[in-house]
Amino acid sequence: MYQNLKDTVRLRKEQLAKTAKTDPNYNALKNELEAAEAMIKKMNQKYQFESIKNFTLFNQIFELSK
């Protein structure tokens, strides 16, 4: 779930960069981005995913496996 949220944040940032502020979908994308970022922050505070010693190594391996 945590990785899915991180992927959503990355994807929404890319989409927002390509979307004009006048586009009707802009606010929906922005709201979804903010919600995903809030959930990541909440999960990270509760479970401290980013502070796990081998998290960086795990992430590198995970990215290579895609």
Side-chain angles (χ1 to χ4, degrees):
M1 184 174 174
Y2 187 76
Q3 187 61 46
N4 285 341
L5 286 169
K6 290 188 74 127
D7 291 342
T8 298
V9 166
R10 182 184 47 79
L11 181 62
R12 294 302 171 256
K13 284 182 178 181
E14 290 173 2
Q15 289 174 325
L16 281 170
K18 297 175 185 175
T19 305
K21 290 186 179 184
T22 56
D23 190 306
N25 294 324
Y26 183 83
N27 286 334
L29 291 171
K30 187 175 177 184
N31 289 341
E32 194 172 338
L33 171 63
E34 291 170 356
E37 288 176 331
M39 285 297 296
I40 285 174
K41 183 177 179 182
K42 185 177 178 180
M43 288 180 74
N44 209 10
Q45 287 173 343
K46 185 173 183 178
Y47 301 110
Q48 300 176 352
F49 288 118
E50 300 290 338
S51 66
I52 295 173
K53 185 176 181 180
N54 292 324
F55 185 78
T56 304
L57 179 60
F58 170 78
N59 242 359
Q60 290 172 349
I61 293 168
F62 182 77
E63 290 299 321
L64 289 173
S65 69
K66 286 185 177 179

